[in-house]
Each structure stands twice: as structure tokens, then as C-alpha cells.
Amino acid sequence: MEQGQHYRLHQAVVDHLELKLRDAMPLMFMAITGQSSSVSVLDAMEILGPDLTRFRLRQALELLGGTSKKEHKEWEKLLSAIG
């Protein structure tokens, strides 16, 4: 997944959550890198690759309590539209 795709994914997620990108980036940063400072989120996602990136995002989501079946279907629809 290239950096442009990562940005579109980020933007789609924050739009879906009705957040501003600048407000969501610290959360994505911790979920992806696991640290409070590191390379940029987009660079980290490129280094990790799409499978490990998705795994880390799912893991972070589960730590926050997961999603309902309805939310899960919405996320799947969103990701398939982006992908």
C-alpha cells in the first residue's frame, strides 16, 4: 500500500468517525507504532505493510472494546470502497 492510499484510508476513517484528521492522528500514531514518538504514521504503515497495519489497528480497536456487528459491517463496507 503506497502513502497516498494510506492517506485516503486515514481520511476515510476520520470522515466516518466525524473527526478532524489532526485529532485522529495521535490515536492512529499510537495504534500503529505503539510509541509516543517515532517515524510518521504514514511511513510506519508503509514499512509495516497492509497486513500488519490492519492487525495493529484491529488490536487497538479490540483494546478499546471492539465494535458492534453493525459497526463492523460499516467498517467492512468502508474498507472495501477504499481498497
PDB file of all heavy atoms in Angstrom, residues 2 7 9 13-14 17 25 36 40 45-47 49 53 60 62 71 78 80 83:
ATOM      1  N   GLU A   2       0.682   2.124  -0.917  1.00  0.00           N
ATOM      2  CA  GLU A   2       1.519   3.316  -1.012  1.00  0.00           C
ATOM      3  C   GLU A   2       1.003   4.419  -0.095  1.00  0.00           C
ATOM      4  O   GLU A   2      -0.096   4.357   0.441  1.00  0.00           O
ATOM      5  CB  GLU A   2       1.588   3.799  -2.455  1.00  0.00           C
ATOM      6  CG  GLU A   2       0.256   4.278  -2.982  1.00  0.00           C
ATOM      7  CD  GLU A   2       0.304   4.666  -4.442  1.00  0.00           C
ATOM      8  OE1 GLU A   2       0.984   4.002  -5.223  1.00  0.00           O
ATOM      9  OE2 GLU A   2      -0.351   5.658  -4.775  1.00  0.00           O
ATOM     10  N   TYR A   7      -3.030   7.703   3.185  1.00  0.00           N
ATOM     11  CA  TYR A   7      -3.679   8.971   3.490  1.00  0.00           C
ATOM     12  C   TYR A   7      -5.181   8.878   3.225  1.00  0.00           C
ATOM     13  O   TYR A   7      -5.983   9.330   4.030  1.00  0.00           O
ATOM     14  CB  TYR A   7      -3.072  10.116   2.667  1.00  0.00           C
ATOM     15  CG  TYR A   7      -3.759  11.421   2.945  1.00  0.00           C
ATOM     16  CD1 TYR A   7      -3.458  12.150   4.089  1.00  0.00           C
ATOM     17  CD2 TYR A   7      -4.751  11.907   2.100  1.00  0.00           C
ATOM     18  CE1 TYR A   7      -4.115  13.333   4.370  1.00  0.00           C
ATOM     19  CE2 TYR A   7      -5.408  13.085   2.376  1.00  0.00           C
ATOM     20  CZ  TYR A   7      -5.081  13.800   3.508  1.00  0.00           C
ATOM     21  OH  TYR A   7      -5.747  14.957   3.790  1.00  0.00           O
ATOM     22  N   LEU A   9      -7.017   6.221   3.302  1.00  0.00           N
ATOM     23  CA  LEU A   9      -7.576   5.381   4.356  1.00  0.00           C
ATOM     24  C   LEU A   9      -7.776   6.187   5.631  1.00  0.00           C
ATOM     25  O   LEU A   9      -8.847   6.155   6.233  1.00  0.00           O
ATOM     26  CB  LEU A   9      -6.665   4.185   4.632  1.00  0.00           C
ATOM     27  CG  LEU A   9      -7.045   3.305   5.820  1.00  0.00           C
ATOM     28  CD1 LEU A   9      -8.407   2.670   5.604  1.00  0.00           C
ATOM     29  CD2 LEU A   9      -5.989   2.242   6.046  1.00  0.00           C
ATOM     30  N   VAL A  13     -11.414   7.071   7.374  1.00  0.00           N
ATOM     31  CA  VAL A  13     -11.697   6.692   8.767  1.00  0.00           C
ATOM     32  C   VAL A  13     -12.131   7.907   9.572  1.00  0.00           C
ATOM     33  O   VAL A  13     -13.135   7.860  10.279  1.00  0.00           O
ATOM     34  CB  VAL A  13     -10.470   6.011   9.413  1.00  0.00           C
ATOM     35  CG1 VAL A  13     -10.649   5.874  10.915  1.00  0.00           C
ATOM     36  CG2 VAL A  13     -10.223   4.652   8.779  1.00  0.00           C
ATOM     37  N   VAL A  14     -11.406   9.009   9.473  1.00  0.00           N
ATOM     38  CA  VAL A  14     -11.775  10.184  10.262  1.00  0.00           C
ATOM     39  C   VAL A  14     -13.091  10.782   9.789  1.00  0.00           C
ATOM     40  O   VAL A  14     -13.872  11.271  10.604  1.00  0.00           O
ATOM     41  CB  VAL A  14     -10.654  11.255  10.321  1.00  0.00           C
ATOM     42  CG1 VAL A  14      -9.433  10.726  11.019  1.00  0.00           C
ATOM     43  CG2 VAL A  14     -10.302  11.784   8.970  1.00  0.00           C
ATOM     44  N   LEU A  17     -15.745   8.652  11.322  1.00  0.00           N
ATOM     45  CA  LEU A  17     -15.861   8.918  12.757  1.00  0.00           C
ATOM     46  C   LEU A  17     -16.259  10.360  13.054  1.00  0.00           C
ATOM     47  O   LEU A  17     -16.416  10.730  14.205  1.00  0.00           O
ATOM     48  CB  LEU A  17     -14.544   8.602  13.461  1.00  0.00           C
ATOM     49  CG  LEU A  17     -14.111   7.146  13.441  1.00  0.00           C
ATOM     50  CD1 LEU A  17     -12.709   7.007  14.016  1.00  0.00           C
ATOM     51  CD2 LEU A  17     -15.100   6.280  14.202  1.00  0.00           C
ATOM     52  N   MET A  25      -4.954  11.666  14.285  1.00  0.00           N
ATOM     53  CA  MET A  25      -3.594  11.206  14.034  1.00  0.00           C
ATOM     54  C   MET A  25      -2.864  10.723  15.290  1.00  0.00           C
ATOM     55  O   MET A  25      -2.195   9.693  15.229  1.00  0.00           O
ATOM     56  CB  MET A  25      -2.784  12.283  13.321  1.00  0.00           C
ATOM     57  CG  MET A  25      -3.200  12.480  11.869  1.00  0.00           C
ATOM     58  SD  MET A  25      -3.180  10.980  10.890  1.00  0.00           S
ATOM     59  CE  MET A  25      -1.446  10.841  10.556  1.00  0.00           C
ATOM     60  N   SER A  36       5.002   6.909  21.623  1.00  0.00           N
ATOM     61  CA  SER A  36       4.540   8.293  21.562  1.00  0.00           C
ATOM     62  C   SER A  36       5.341   9.128  20.576  1.00  0.00           C
ATOM     63  O   SER A  36       4.937  10.219  20.215  1.00  0.00           O
ATOM     64  CB  SER A  36       4.588   8.937  22.953  1.00  0.00           C
ATOM     65  OG  SER A  36       5.914   8.906  23.451  1.00  0.00           O
ATOM     66  N   SER A  40       6.832   9.013  10.960  1.00  0.00           N
ATOM     67  CA  SER A  40       5.445   9.410  10.717  1.00  0.00           C
ATOM     68  C   SER A  40       4.553   8.172  10.596  1.00  0.00           C
ATOM     69  O   SER A  40       5.017   7.083  10.259  1.00  0.00           O
ATOM     70  CB  SER A  40       5.329  10.252   9.446  1.00  0.00           C
ATOM     71  OG  SER A  40       5.401   9.431   8.305  1.00  0.00           O
ATOM     72  N   MET A  45       3.240   2.870   8.459  1.00  0.00           N
ATOM     73  CA  MET A  45       2.298   1.983   7.783  1.00  0.00           C
ATOM     74  C   MET A  45       2.924   1.398   6.520  1.00  0.00           C
ATOM     75  O   MET A  45       2.719   0.229   6.210  1.00  0.00           O
ATOM     76  CB  MET A  45       1.009   2.733   7.454  1.00  0.00           C
ATOM     77  CG  MET A  45       0.202   3.077   8.687  1.00  0.00           C
ATOM     78  SD  MET A  45      -1.218   4.132   8.342  1.00  0.00           S
ATOM     79  CE  MET A  45      -2.325   2.949   7.589  1.00  0.00           C
ATOM     80  N   GLU A  46       3.691   2.190   5.823  1.00  0.00           N
ATOM     81  CA  GLU A  46       4.356   1.696   4.613  1.00  0.00           C
ATOM     82  C   GLU A  46       5.406   0.648   4.967  1.00  0.00           C
ATOM     83  O   GLU A  46       5.522  -0.379   4.299  1.00  0.00           O
ATOM     84  CB  GLU A  46       4.992   2.857   3.847  1.00  0.00           C
ATOM     85  CG  GLU A  46       5.500   2.465   2.493  1.00  0.00           C
ATOM     86  CD  GLU A  46       5.901   3.666   1.655  1.00  0.00           C
ATOM     87  OE1 GLU A  46       5.533   4.800   1.984  1.00  0.00           O
ATOM     88  OE2 GLU A  46       6.594   3.440   0.658  1.00  0.00           O
ATOM     89  N   ILE A  47       6.145   0.887   6.037  1.00  0.00           N
ATOM     90  CA  ILE A  47       7.172  -0.061   6.478  1.00  0.00           C
ATOM     91  C   ILE A  47       6.531  -1.370   6.944  1.00  0.00           C
ATOM     92  O   ILE A  47       6.994  -2.455   6.605  1.00  0.00           O
ATOM     93  CB  ILE A  47       8.030   0.554   7.612  1.00  0.00           C
ATOM     94  CG1 ILE A  47       8.884   1.714   7.060  1.00  0.00           C
ATOM     95  CG2 ILE A  47       8.912  -0.505   8.270  1.00  0.00           C
ATOM     96  CD1 ILE A  47       9.495   2.588   8.123  1.00  0.00           C
ATOM     97  N   GLY A  49       3.563  -2.568   6.181  1.00  0.00           N
ATOM     98  CA  GLY A  49       2.778  -3.240   5.152  1.00  0.00           C
ATOM     99  C   GLY A  49       1.314  -3.314   5.554  1.00  0.00           C
ATOM    100  O   GLY A  49       0.959  -3.112   6.718  1.00  0.00           O
ATOM    101  N   THR A  53      -0.359  -3.580   9.433  1.00  0.00           N
ATOM    102  CA  THR A  53      -1.051  -2.333   9.764  1.00  0.00           C
ATOM    103  C   THR A  53      -2.487  -2.619  10.179  1.00  0.00           C
ATOM    104  O   THR A  53      -2.954  -2.148  11.218  1.00  0.00           O
ATOM    105  CB  THR A  53      -1.034  -1.367   8.568  1.00  0.00           C
ATOM    106  OG1 THR A  53       0.326  -0.999   8.303  1.00  0.00           O
ATOM    107  CG2 THR A  53      -1.848  -0.122   8.842  1.00  0.00           C
ATOM    108  N   ALA A  60      -5.836  -2.513  18.392  1.00  0.00           N
ATOM    109  CA  ALA A  60      -6.135  -1.289  19.137  1.00  0.00           C
ATOM    110  C   ALA A  60      -7.636  -1.135  19.335  1.00  0.00           C
ATOM    111  O   ALA A  60      -8.095  -0.769  20.421  1.00  0.00           O
ATOM    112  CB  ALA A  60      -5.576  -0.068  18.409  1.00  0.00           C
ATOM    113  N   GLU A  62      -9.865  -3.533  19.461  1.00  0.00           N
ATOM    114  CA  GLU A  62     -10.294  -4.528  20.448  1.00  0.00           C
ATOM    115  C   GLU A  62      -9.967  -4.074  21.870  1.00  0.00           C
ATOM    116  O   GLU A  62     -10.754  -4.284  22.793  1.00  0.00           O
ATOM    117  CB  GLU A  62      -9.658  -5.891  20.167  1.00  0.00           C
ATOM    118  CG  GLU A  62     -10.228  -6.582  18.954  1.00  0.00           C
ATOM    119  CD  GLU A  62     -11.725  -6.846  19.064  1.00  0.00           C
ATOM    120  OE1 GLU A  62     -12.178  -7.284  20.137  1.00  0.00           O
ATOM    121  OE2 GLU A  62     -12.433  -6.609  18.071  1.00  0.00           O
ATOM    122  N   GLU A  71     -21.485  -1.846  13.340  1.00  0.00           N
ATOM    123  CA  GLU A  71     -20.274  -1.055  13.096  1.00  0.00           C
ATOM    124  C   GLU A  71     -19.277  -1.852  12.256  1.00  0.00           C
ATOM    125  O   GLU A  71     -18.632  -1.307  11.362  1.00  0.00           O
ATOM    126  CB  GLU A  71     -19.630  -0.646  14.414  1.00  0.00           C
ATOM    127  CG  GLU A  71     -20.404   0.389  15.178  1.00  0.00           C
ATOM    128  CD  GLU A  71     -19.853   0.607  16.578  1.00  0.00           C
ATOM    129  OE1 GLU A  71     -19.402  -0.360  17.224  1.00  0.00           O
ATOM    130  OE2 GLU A  71     -19.876   1.770  17.027  1.00  0.00           O
ATOM    131  N   LEU A  78     -16.708   0.361   4.233  1.00  0.00           N
ATOM    132  CA  LEU A  78     -15.799   1.491   4.043  1.00  0.00           C
ATOM    133  C   LEU A  78     -14.460   1.017   3.488  1.00  0.00           C
ATOM    134  O   LEU A  78     -13.942   1.574   2.524  1.00  0.00           O
ATOM    135  CB  LEU A  78     -15.603   2.228   5.367  1.00  0.00           C
ATOM    136  CG  LEU A  78     -14.611   3.374   5.383  1.00  0.00           C
ATOM    137  CD1 LEU A  78     -15.096   4.523   4.530  1.00  0.00           C
ATOM    138  CD2 LEU A  78     -14.355   3.837   6.804  1.00  0.00           C
ATOM    139  N   SER A  80     -13.732  -1.759   1.885  1.00  0.00           N
ATOM    140  CA  SER A  80     -13.817  -2.297   0.528  1.00  0.00           C
ATOM    141  C   SER A  80     -13.968  -1.173  -0.506  1.00  0.00           C
ATOM    142  O   SER A  80     -13.482  -1.287  -1.627  1.00  0.00           O
ATOM    143  CB  SER A  80     -14.980  -3.292   0.410  1.00  0.00           C
ATOM    144  OG  SER A  80     -16.210  -2.656   0.552  1.00  0.00           O
ATOM    145  N   GLY A  83     -10.271   0.214  -0.746  1.00  0.00           N
ATOM    146  CA  GLY A  83      -9.270  -0.733  -1.181  1.00  0.00           C
ATOM    147  C   GLY A  83      -9.175  -1.028  -2.595  1.00  0.00           C
ATOM    148  O   GLY A  83      -8.245  -1.331  -3.193  1.00  0.00           O
TER     149      GLY A  83
END
